[in-house]
Amino acid sequence: MSIRPTLETRLAQPTTEGAGVHLHRAFGFHHPSELDPFLLFDDFRNDDPAKFEQGFPWHPHRGIETITYVLSGTVDHGDSLGNSGTLGAGDVQWMTAGSGILHQEMPKGNAQGQMHGFQLWANLPSAHKMTAPRYQDVKSGDIPEITDDDGTTVRVIVGDFWGRRGPVDGIAADPQYLDISVPPGVKKTFRVDTYRRAFAYVFEGAGAFADASQPSGVLLEKEVMGEEVNIRDMSGNRTLIRFGTGDEVTVQAGEQGIRFLLISGAPIQEPVAWHGPIVMNTTEELQQAMRELRNGTFIKPAH
């Protein structure tokens, strides 16, 4: 077994999208090969409805898949194919935009006015860019949740893990998408396929991710439940950790425990031509998509 080295640790940056939704972006729009097949990751979390209630009005997508995971509040959605619905706390929607779709997403806070969720964009390989759009809406109760003997809990949203399989399937990047909670002071190792690109996104608590050069992941600065933890290496709220190659990720939870997403997928390794919500392989394909948006032929008839 080999521990995946930590290539980079960085904080998600505040930005505004849609009609004024305040969110934090962990990555996106700059280096599409960095986490191939993933293109963008947003953390939309707020307890002020004025900063998210205008939502994401009608907008197009082509050439990608969007994965929306709601933790609190709700998201009402509708699209040009006539689909509509509401995502609640713990629900997931995996939308394959394929050849093109127009949709809107309108978040609402819970009883306390709080909204929290994530959206991940996954690229589609050229052979699937123009596939027919489709949705997979998954209710929270249909997502397997496993609790280990040490109290570690894993929700398996996509892929196989610890003998369970997530309910979302047929995704081009063949990803694994896990929501992991590790109790205070627990040190835990998770297997990740060697040939996948992988990242973690911490959104509650804090912890230290072991590095290949320091397998213990520690320095003598503080003891947490008998484990030495390098406080300078602790990753906390809204932190992205980008891993190198290897087949396992090890984390040492801090005093408050840690909760993070662990996401991996098979790289596509194709050229990327990207403009806003449309991702193609060439500039010519991108220009074609823009022409179709202008002349009303962007949405393709169902076969």
Side-chain angles (χ1 to χ4, degrees):
M1 300 299 166
S2 59
I3 295 174
R4 283 178 174 254
T6 301
L7 298 181
E8 182 183 16
T9 300
R10 65 175 183 248
L11 290 174
Q13 296 301 305
T15 187
T16 305
E17 283 291 353
V21 178
H22 294 248
L23 50 83
H24 283 72
R25 177 160 294 151
F27 63 87
F29 292 111
H30 296 300
H31 304 291
S33 63
E34 183 179 75
L35 281 164
D36 178 19
F38 306 113
L39 297 166
L40 176 145
F41 183 85
D42 284 343
D43 178 348
F44 47 99
R45 178 187 339 186
N46 216 298
D47 56 9
D48 180 0
K51 293 185 177 179
F52 61 78
E53 62 186 1
Q54 296 304 309
F56 306 89
W58 293 99
H59 58 281
H61 282 295
R62 176 178 285 181
I64 62 170
E65 302 184 277
T66 67
I67 305 93
T68 305
Y69 180 27
V70 178
L71 293 184
S72 59
T74 61
V75 177
D76 293 335
H77 65 89
D79 69 38
S80 53
L81 303 177
N83 299 306
S84 64
T86 299
L87 299 176
D91 295 351
V92 173
Q93 181 190 84
W94 199 295
M95 184 194 77
T96 302
S99 61
I101 200 166
L102 298 172
H103 77 154
Q104 63 174 351
E105 300 151 303
M106 307 303 287
K108 295 179 181 177
N110 58 17
Q112 292 74 44
Q114 299 165 330
M115 176 67 211
H116 190 192
F118 307 106
Q119 188 166 92
L120 174 69
W121 291 11
N123 199 5
L124 280 169
S126 57
H128 299 286
K129 287 286 189 191
M130 298 299 286
T131 191
R134 70 167 181 151
Y135 281 92
Q136 295 182 69
D137 284 351
V138 179
K139 293 299 183 184
S140 180
D142 294 329
I143 297 173
E145 187 168 305
I146 314 159
T147 301
D148 207 1
D149 293 341
D150 59 11
T152 297
T153 299
V154 180
R155 300 192 83 211
V156 186
I157 295 169
V158 188
D160 293 293
F161 192 75
W162 286 354
R164 302 293 296 277
R165 182 163 183 82
V168 179
D169 62 7
I171 305 304
D174 189 26
Q176 187 178 63
Y177 191 129
L178 308 174
D179 177 355
I180 298 173
S181 298
V182 181
V186 171
K187 187 175 184 179
K188 199 72 175 175
T189 296
F190 304 93
R191 293 293 308 275
V192 180
D193 187 283
T194 307
Y195 300 101
R196 298 168 182 260
R197 294 272 172 81
F199 70 91
Y201 183 76
V202 180
F203 60 96
E204 285 181 16
F209 287 84
D211 202 325
S213 60
Q214 293 178 308
S216 62
V218 303
L219 289 178
L220 304 179
E221 291 199 12
K222 186 172 182 179
E223 290 240 338
V224 180
M225 302 290 286
E227 292 283 351
E228 301 161 341
V229 176
N230 178 4
I231 298 304
R232 289 176 300 183
D233 289 345
M234 294 287 276
S235 297
N237 188 21
R238 294 195 178 105
T239 301
L240 173 79
I241 300 95
R242 188 163 60 91
F243 300 108
T245 56
D247 52 23
E248 61 184 32
V249 168
T250 297
V251 64
Q252 167 68 56
E255 294 174 311
Q256 305 301 316
I258 186 172
R259 186 176 179 188
F260 61 98
L261 304 178
L262 181 59
I263 299 174
S264 62
I268 295 172
Q269 297 179 317
E270 292 181 353
V272 172
W274 187 354
H275 181 75
I278 299 173
V279 183
M280 304 303 289
N281 293 104
T282 68
T283 302
E284 291 74 20
E285 291 170 337
L286 201 57
Q287 291 170 343
Q288 176 70 20
M290 296 303 175
R291 282 194 299 271
E292 292 177 0
L293 269 174
R294 290 192 296 269
N295 65 25
T297 61
F298 184 77
I299 305 300
K300 304 303 178 187
H303 296 295

